[in-house]
Structure formats: C-alpha cells, structure tokens
C-alpha cells in the first residue's frame, strides 16, 4: 500500500518567489495536515484540511495557504519566499478529522530558499 | 500556551541496554500524546500513543508512561538496537483541535554497538 506521498522531494527557490508543494494522502484518508520542520527543531503545525474544508490553522503568516481537492490530495502554497522559509515541509494524513485515527506522515519536501 | 519540551537533547546508550527518553508538556488540556521516531531524511514515524485517561501503555519493546500530575511523558525502549538510533519527538494534542499536534524539539538517540 502506498503511504503518504509528497512532491517534489527537494526544491530550491529564490527569495520572493512562490512555491507549491503537493501531497497525496493514503487511500481512503480524508484529512491532510501540513507541518514545517526547521532544521534541528520539531515539526510545527501549519494547516489541517478535512473533507476539503480548513479545520485548523497554525501561527503562520498569510503568505502560507493551502487547499484540498475532491480526491483529498492537497497543495501548500507559499508566496514571497523568505530565507527563513527554508525547511522540511511535512504532510500527514488520517482517515478522519480527529487526531487518533492512523495519523501518518510523508517523507516531506525539502525547500531551500536562496 | 502549548509547549512541549524534552529534558535531554542527546542520549547515547549501549546496544542491549534500555533507553528512557523524557518529555515535559505545559498544557494541562492536552489529552492525547504520540511518540514519533524520525530518521535522517524521513518523516516522523509513529511509535506509540497514549490518551490522558491512561498512565501506561506498552507496545513491542516500547512503553510510554504518562504522569498528568507533573505533566511528564516518557518513552522506554527495551534492549535498544542500532536501528533505534534516530531523533525522538513527543507530540501533544488537545481534544477538539483535530489533527493539530504540538511537537517538542526532540531527543537524538545514538546506540553504541
């Protein structure tokens, strides 16, 4: 069975550019969450989507946005990139919106902003 | 506010010994906790979870203890193996916040053969 898949695996962008990261949840999972993990730190919650609706938002600026598609895949968009946006971006999926239902992470997208 | 922290950033143990990784949390409203293992270049991998109505839960070679009085969580790994070398995170969640987990900084476990 395929796990949570994220693309691309690595990405290099220039300050001020825009980036789109993609996530495909485990088949049958309807909830997707996004996290940012800066080197040497734990993941920090950005967004949760369940049944295509935003269910939670972390303490991130409006430059960060996301959406979930009818097939439950998701995109994370970041505008006006800053050097500090360099991080591993993780996607996690679960069958439902609650926390204790098979919460599984992907391997992430490594974003480097130069 | 919510914060999750770990007492020790690094831990080295001999192969075959038991490992104990500690975690403190500050939000008494947190009611669900997960321990994750993260290897280099990979996403966090679920190890074991525990709800706030329990104080102990066991899995294969792992045990999680929860002390709500002092808001402390620990992960015990029995007969530690080289493959256990990784960064370990505890993550907390509050009822009603869906999949919003708050992670600590992590403890890097090194197993010495």
């Amino acid at each position: 069975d395929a796990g949570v898949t994220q693309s691309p695996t690595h990405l290099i962008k220039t300050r001020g550019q825009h980036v789109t990261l993609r996530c495909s949840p485990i088949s049958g999972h309807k909830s997707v969450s996004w996290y940012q993990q800066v080197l040497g730190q734990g993941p920090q919650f950005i967004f949760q989507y369940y049944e295509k609706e935003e269910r939670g938002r972390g303490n991130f600026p409006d430059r960060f946005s996301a959406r979930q598609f009818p097939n439950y895949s998701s995109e994370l968009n970041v505008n006006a990139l800053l050097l500090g946006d360099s991080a591993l971006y993780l996607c996690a999926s679960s069958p439902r919106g609650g926390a204790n239902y098979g919460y599984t992470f992907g391997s992430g997208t490594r974003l480097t902003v130069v | 506010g919510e914060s999750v922290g770990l007492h020790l950033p690094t831990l080295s143990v001999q192969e075959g010994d038991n490992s104990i990784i500690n975690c403190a949390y500050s939000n008494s409203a947190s009611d669900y906790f997960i321990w994750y293992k993260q290897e280099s270049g990979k996403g966090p991998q679920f190890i074991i979870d525990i709800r706030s109505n329990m104080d102990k839960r066991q899995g294969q070679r792992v045990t999680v203890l929860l002390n709500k009085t002092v808001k402390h969580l620990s992960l015990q790994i029995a007969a530690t193996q080289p493959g256990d070398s990784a960064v370990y995170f505890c993550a907390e969640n509050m009822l009603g916040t869906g999949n919003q987990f708050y992670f600590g900084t992590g403890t890097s476990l090194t197993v010495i053969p």
Side-chain angles (χ1 to χ4, degrees):
Chain A
D1 287 341
V4 178
T5 57
Q6 294 186 241
S7 63
T9 56
H10 296 82
L11 197 56
I12 299 175
K13 288 287 190 177
T14 304
R15 277 178 298 176
Q17 285 188 316
H18 163 271
V19 69
T20 298
L21 309 180
R22 296 177 175 82
C23 172
S24 293
I26 291 172
S27 178
H29 284 198
K30 299 181 178 181
S31 178
V32 169
S33 297
W34 287 95
Y35 287 79
Q36 180 196 66
Q37 185 175 23
V38 174
L39 193 63
Q41 297 183 17
Q44 186 174 357
F45 175 80
I46 310 175
F47 287 111
Q48 181 198 358
Y49 278 79
Y50 175 58
E51 289 282 17
K52 301 175 286 291
E53 293 186 1
E54 183 182 301
R55 292 299 186 94
R57 173 185 286 255
N59 187 25
F60 279 81
D62 292 342
R63 299 185 296 107
F64 289 76
S65 63
R67 55 179 174 168
Q68 187 176 33
F69 298 99
N71 66 354
Y72 303 108
S73 66
S74 177
E75 284 183 353
L76 175 69
N77 295 284
V78 186
N79 292 323
L81 285 167
L82 303 174
L83 294 180
D85 295 330
S86 295
L88 180 68
Y89 287 85
L90 294 162
C91 173
S93 76
S94 61
R96 293 185 245 176
N100 52 349
Y101 290 105
Y103 201 58
T104 305
F105 281 88
S107 293
T109 293
R110 172 71 63 188
L111 172 65
T112 301
V113 182
V114 297
Chain B
E2 301 87 0
S3 69
V4 180
L6 297 175
H7 293 301
L8 296 172
T10 61
L11 178 65
S12 295
V13 297
Q14 290 289 142
E15 181 178 357
D17 287 352
N18 297 333
S19 302
I20 299 177
I21 301 172
N22 296 303
C23 174
Y25 65 96
S26 63
N27 196 327
S28 57
S30 293
D31 72 334
Y32 179 57
F33 305 86
I34 300 179
W35 279 101
Y36 285 96
K37 171 186 180 184
Q38 188 174 26
E39 297 173 287
S40 181
K42 298 183 179 180
Q45 177 187 355
F46 175 96
I47 301 173
I48 191 168
D49 60 357
I50 189 167
R51 298 199 66 84
S52 59
N53 62 352
M54 304 172 68
D55 53 20
K56 181 179 180 178
R57 191 156 190 234
Q58 289 182 294
Q60 186 176 9
R61 287 201 303 117
V62 294
T63 301
V64 55
L65 300 177
L66 175 62
N67 185 329
K68 295 181 286 294
T69 302
V70 295
K71 290 182 284 189
H72 182 269
L73 205 65
S74 69
L75 176 70
Q76 300 177 2
I77 304 174
T80 315
Q81 303 169 359
D84 295 328
S85 293
V87 177
Y88 289 80
F89 295 96
C90 66
E92 63 178 311
N93 175 269
M94 285 186 294
L95 183 66
T97 62
N99 285 334
Q100 291 188 42
F101 279 88
Y102 296 89
F103 285 76
T105 303
T107 292
S108 177
L109 174 65
T110 300
V111 180
I112 303 167

